[in-house]
Amino acid sequence: MQSDDGNIWLRLLINGDYRLSYFDKQQRVFKINQKFSDSTKNTRMREIMAASINKMAAATSKGMYFMDINEQKIINFSDSLSFQSVAQDKDGHFWFTETNRIYKYDGQKYFSISVPAQFGNFMGGSSIIGKNGYPIFGCQNGMLVVNPEKMKKDTLPPKVTLSGLAILNKPKKLEQAFENIQKIELPFEENSIELAFSALHFLQEEDIRYKYKLENFQDDWIESATNQPTVSYNNLSPGTYYFKAIAANADDVWTPESKALKIKLNILPPWYRTTPAYLLWITLVSSLAYWFYRFQLNRQLEKAEAIRLKEIDAVKTKLYTNITHEFKTPLTVINGIAKKLQGQVDYTAREGLNLIERNGQQLLNLVNQMLGLSKLESGHLNTNLEQGDIILFLKYLVESFHSLAETKNITLNFESSHQHFFMDFDAEKLRQIISNLLQNAIKFTPENGQIHLRVKTQNQILFIEVEDNGVGIPPPQLEKIFDRFYQVDDSTTRKGEGTGIGLTLTKELVKLLGGKIEVESELGIGSRFYFRLPITKNATINVNIIENKKAISGTEPLKQSSNALVHPTDKAPISLLIIEDNTDVIQYLSMIVPANYQITTAMNGKLGLAKAQKDIPDIILCDVMMPEMDGFEVCKQLKTDLSTSHIPIILLTAKADFESKIEGLVHGADAYLTKPFVEKELQIRLNKLVENRKKLQQHYTKGIFNNQSIATTESTHQLSPQDKIFMEQVLQIMEENFKTVSFSAENLSALLFVSYSTCLRKVKAITGMSVTEYINHYRLQKAAYWLKENQEKTILQIALDLGYNSQSYFNRVFKKHFNCTPSQYREKVT
C-alpha cells in the first residue's frame, strides 16, 4: 500500500519472519525498520495501513502495532488478541477484527461487539473504508458493513449474585434464597467451602467476565477463566472473611465495588481457642512464669553484679580521662619551668620556682583527694580529733583564701556568733572540707561577687555555712551534685577546671566526722552549702593546731601579669595575643616566647575574640577548653571574618586525640599543640608562621603584576580562600585604576565593598605596606616593566600613563625605590 507521503509499504516474509519495509522513491532503495522487525519477531502480520504521515498501523497475531517513523516509537496494543485486519474511519478511529468480534479504538479506550454466527469468521487482511466512511470487513460468508453512528456501548454493569453453595464438597440447601445470603457461619471442622456465582445480565452473556477475592485471605482480585465461575476455599483458619465478586459486560463495564456481591464468612475457632480456654492458658503461663522468675532470681542477681562491675570500670575510665586532663595543665608548667630553670640558681629563677612549687602543690592536692576518697571507700581512713579553737582555725583558713578571691575582685566574709569556741575536730579533714567549698565558690562566682562563711552553735551542734552569689545549680542537678565524678557542666566552655571528686570527698569527710551536708541553690542567684558537726570535748587540747597559711590552703594565687609585655629587642615587635584561662600557663608562655613579641592576654574565649577583632594581632595562641567560648569557636569566627581571617592561630589543648586535632584544623587553625608541649616546638611554630608571613609579603610585593594572574607559591597556601580572593580583587582593581591620578585607599576600599579600616589592615597584614605605599609600589613595578619592554615609549609618556603629573616627581620616587633614575634603569635592563 502507498501512504500519503508517497512511500510504498510492504510486508516481507524473510526467513519465516515478517518484516515491515518501504520503498522511498527519492532514494530508490528499500529500507527495513529493524526496531519494528525485532519487536514483531515470530508474529504473523496480516495487514498494514497508514494511520497518518509517517505513522503506520499493523494487525498481527499478537495484537495491534502502531509505529511512528519520525520518533522511532512502537506501541503494542492488546498483545493477547490475534487481529485479522485494521481500518481507520473518517474520524480517525481504528477498527479491528478478531476471529468473530469487531473492536473500536478511539485513541484512549476501546470496546467490542460480537458478530452473529451466520457471518462466519473474519478473513485476514480483508478490510476497507467505503466512500461513506463506513468500515467494511470480509467474512467467510460474505462481508459486513458497520455504521459507527449506530454502534452504542453497553454501559449497564452486570449484577452478581450467589448461585450455589457447597460445604465439604456437599451442596448446601438453605431455607432462604441465595440472593438474600449476606453471612455464612461454619464450625471449625467444616472449614472447606465452595461458592458459585453468576451475573444477571442478558446482553451478550457469553462475553461476561468475572473477578473475585476473599479478603483476609487474598489481597488481589482474581479473574475467572470461565463465564460460569465456581471458587473453592479449603482448610480456612478460624476468623472472619469477606467474599466479594464483580463482573464486566461485553464492553468491559465492571460492576462498581460498592455494588459487588458481598458475603461475610465466619469460621468459628476450636474449643482450645475460646475465651475459657484462654483464661486457662493464662493461668498456666502465669504459674510457669512465677516459677521461672524464682528459678532465675539468682542468675539475675549475678548479672546485675556483673553490670555493676562494668559500670565501675566505666566510671574509672572516665575518672582517668578527667584526671589526665587536669594533670596536664600543671604538668605543662612544671615540665616547662624545670627545663627553663636548668642551670639557673640566681634571683631571676625565683619566679619560675614559685610556679613549680604552686603547681606541684596543686597536683599533690588532686592526688591527695583521690587517695582520701579511696581510703574512705575501703574504710581505712580514720579521724584524728584534737581539741582546739575552731573559730580561730576557720578564720585563719578563710584568710588564706583572700588573695585568691582578690584576683577576681570577690569579697570573702567570715561571720561567727562566737569570738572563740573550743571543741574536738580533725584539722586536716576540716581543712579539706572548707577548702573544697571555698574553691568551688570562688570558681563559680563572677567578678565583684560575694562569698560568706558563717559559723554558729546550737544544741551541741556546730553549723557551718558557705554561701555565694554565683551562677547557681539547675534544680534537676542538685541531687547529683555529690555524686562521684559528676560535673554540672562538662563542656569545653565550662567555668574552671575540676574532676568532679571534690564535693564527693567533702560529703564523705563530713559523714566520717559524724555530720551531714546539704545544698540549696537557685539558678542565677547563687548557692548555699551548709553542714553540721557534733560538738564534743573529749580529745587532747592542742594549742598549736594552726600551722602556717601555705600548708593550710595551698591556694596562693599567681600575681596577675600585665596586659601587655614587651621583651627588650632592637627588632620591630610582633603582636601576640594569648587566649588562656590559666594564669600560670599565661605566665609560662610569656617567659618562653621569642624576645621580639609584644604580648596581650585574654582570660576566656569571648574576651579573646573581642580583643582580636579590635587589636588585629599578628599571631594568636589560643587554648581550646575555656569559659564563655571554646577555642574551636574562637578560631571559626576569626577565620570567617574578613578583617581577621589572615591572622595565624595556634591552638593549645590537653586533648591530644586525633578527632580534636582534625576539628581544630577544620576550623582553620594554622597549628595544633598538645599539652605538655616542648618550648622549642612552640618557638619553631611561631618563627615559622612569622617566616611564612614574610614570604607572603615578598610574594605580593615583587614584580609579578604585569597583566598576569597571581602565581601559586608555598607562601600563598598560608592564606585562607577568602584572603586569596581579597588579594586577587585588590590586584585586579589596581590594574584597572593605577593610571588614575586620584586613585587612593578610599577608592580601593569602596571598590572592594569593605570598610576603610578593614582595607588598611588587610593590605598591611598581607603585604607589609600601607595601601598608599602599595599603590605606589604597584605603579613603580609597572614602570620598571614598561621601561624594559616598551622601548618606543619615552619616560615622560610612561610617567603620564602611570598617573604621575610630572616627570621630575616620577624620577624622584623611582630613584628612591630602585636606587637609580628611570633612564639609568632602562640602560641597565636593555
Side-chain angles (χ1 to χ4, degrees), residues 203-219:
L203 184 61
Q204 296 180 265
E205 295 179 63
E206 68 278 5
D207 295 324
I208 293 179
R209 293 181 292 154
Y210 297 87
K211 288 183 180 179
Y212 61 89
K213 68 176 178 179
L214 186 64
E215 290 183 353
N216 298 332
F217 182 77
Q218 298 168 323
D219 295 328

Side-chain angles (χ1 to χ4, degrees), residues 77 81 241 381 417:
F77 172 72
L81 301 176
Y241 305 88
L381 188 63
S417 59

Side-chain angles (χ1 to χ4, degrees), residues 28 164 204 232 280 331-332 404 425 441 485 488 530 643 677 705 782:
R28 299 294 180 182
Q204 296 180 265
S232 298
L280 176 61
L331 282 175
T332 299
L404 179 63
F425 63 94
F485 315 124
V488 174
Y530 55 95
S643 62
F677 52 83
F705 311 123
K782 187 69 74 171

